[in-house]
Amino acid sequence: KTARILSQRWKNLGEKDKQNMLRCKEKSLWPYLRYGFNLFFSVHFLYLTVLYYELCKKIIIQEQVNATVLSSTNGLFDKCLTAAAKQNNIPMFIVQHGLGGFTVNPEVVGDMNFLVFNPLYKQKLLDHGVSPKSIFITGALVFDDVVTYLHKKQNKENNLNKTNLFIATSPFIDEKRIKKETYWKLFAKVIADLQKMPEVSIVVKLHPLERNYLDYLAFVRKNGYKNLKITKNNDRSVFYHLLANCDVFVNFGSSAALEALMLNKPVVDIDISGNGLHFTKGSGATIEVLVKDNIGGAVRRALQKDAKRAQEAKKLIQHFCGKVDGKAYERAAKVIYEKTFLPP
């Protein structure tokens, strides 16, 4: 009922009202935003919004919830849970999930607290006007599991001369950042370069957002690559196992490069999109190349010991993540408990 009433009220507003309501300076934004707003004020979308909100309120009351913990505030359910927590006057904890955290204003609601990687992200929140009393540096929870694999012995499968390469792809096609035909030409060039290396084994792991697994398999069959394996397994333990057992990590601008550096793996960054946008750019912590370059040569350079590159890798990890010791979850739990149950 509430969804139908709200949707009808939106429909009752005239075109002129909507044009005047959504303006920037002298220009109306309504022609560009109308489809989004019509979706948000549709009966179905409003029904889901009200359902999630009321459900969250009911759970908080029935289960006597003392606090909520989220890793995002962007999704519909996230926003509904946040609103329900505010309505019930309980604290909320936003745990930083990725390297791009808090680049935009998080829009603090109620008793909202932030558990961040390091001072870099604390400063971002302070710049957005968030109270320092609501920001806690815990380290990167998302990388806690990396530490488990730090000292595991690499399995070379009885072939010490083989070079194991682990490639992590990015969803360029799915996110429409590169045309499908262009991507496969670029990808084919990368693999062809690597095939020129002697005694090489390659594992390609797809990004969770990629939906073209069968296309990768077809690519392998078409080219007859016997040393190229494709996996879409998104289990983190599988990812870390592959990372721990590779000699060089190759990526197209993925944040996974940081995890490889944490495990002291040499990293080759390939700017496959040509826009030069990747977080390791210019850091000196990785080997940076373009697709047109000799990728095999870049891998061979990466395999060479380089004290300066190793030092820059440590600086990069510290810059983005702060302390990586596998105990961020303990510090986060301590903050949540003290803030929730102890007197201020």
Side-chain angles (χ1 to χ4, degrees), residues 167-174 177-191 204-207 210 212 215-216 219 252 272-273 291:
I167 302 177
T169 60
S170 296
F172 292 109
I173 296 175
D174 301 83
R177 286 186 279 163
I178 299 179
K179 290 183 178 179
K180 185 175 181 178
E181 298 77 14
T182 303
Y183 174 80
W184 283 110
K185 286 180 182 178
L186 298 172
F187 183 78
K189 197 275 182 183
V190 170
I191 299 300
V204 175
K205 183 194 172 301
L206 273 58
H207 188 281
E210 288 187 276
N212 48 356
D215 291 338
Y216 280 96
F219 171 83
F252 305 145
I272 200 167
S273 65
V291 176

Side-chain angles (χ1 to χ4, degrees), residues 123-136:
Q123 188 57 53
K124 287 186 178 184
L125 288 170
L126 292 173
D127 292 343
H128 288 309
V130 177
S131 169
K133 294 181 179 179
S134 300
I135 308 171
F136 303 88

Side-chain angles (χ1 to χ4, degrees), residues 217-253:
L217 295 182
F219 171 83
V220 174
R221 286 195 300 270
K222 177 183 176 183
N223 291 280
Y225 291 137
K226 303 297 184 183
N227 59 346
L228 177 58
K229 179 183 177 182
I230 309 294
T231 179
K232 60 176 181 176
N233 192 322
N234 293 318
D235 189 301
R236 295 302 287 174
S237 63
V238 172
F239 170 75
Y240 286 132
H241 174 77
L242 291 170
L243 204 52
N245 283 288
C246 77
D247 294 300
V248 178
F249 178 70
V250 180
N251 75 107
F252 305 145

Side-chain angles (χ1 to χ4, degrees), residues 9 18 29 43 46 58-59 72 87 93 107 112 114 123 129 133 138 141 146 157 165 169-170 175 215 270 279 285:
R9 285 181 181 177
K18 293 170 182 174
L29 302 178
V43 174
L46 287 170
K58 187 174 183 179
I59 291 173
S72 167
Q87 181 69 22
F93 297 91
E107 298 180 356
M112 185 176 281
F114 299 87
Q123 188 57 53
K133 294 181 179 179
T138 61
L141 274 78
V146 176
E157 297 181 349
L165 304 181
T169 60
S170 296
E175 294 183 345
D215 291 338
I270 302 176
F279 73 97

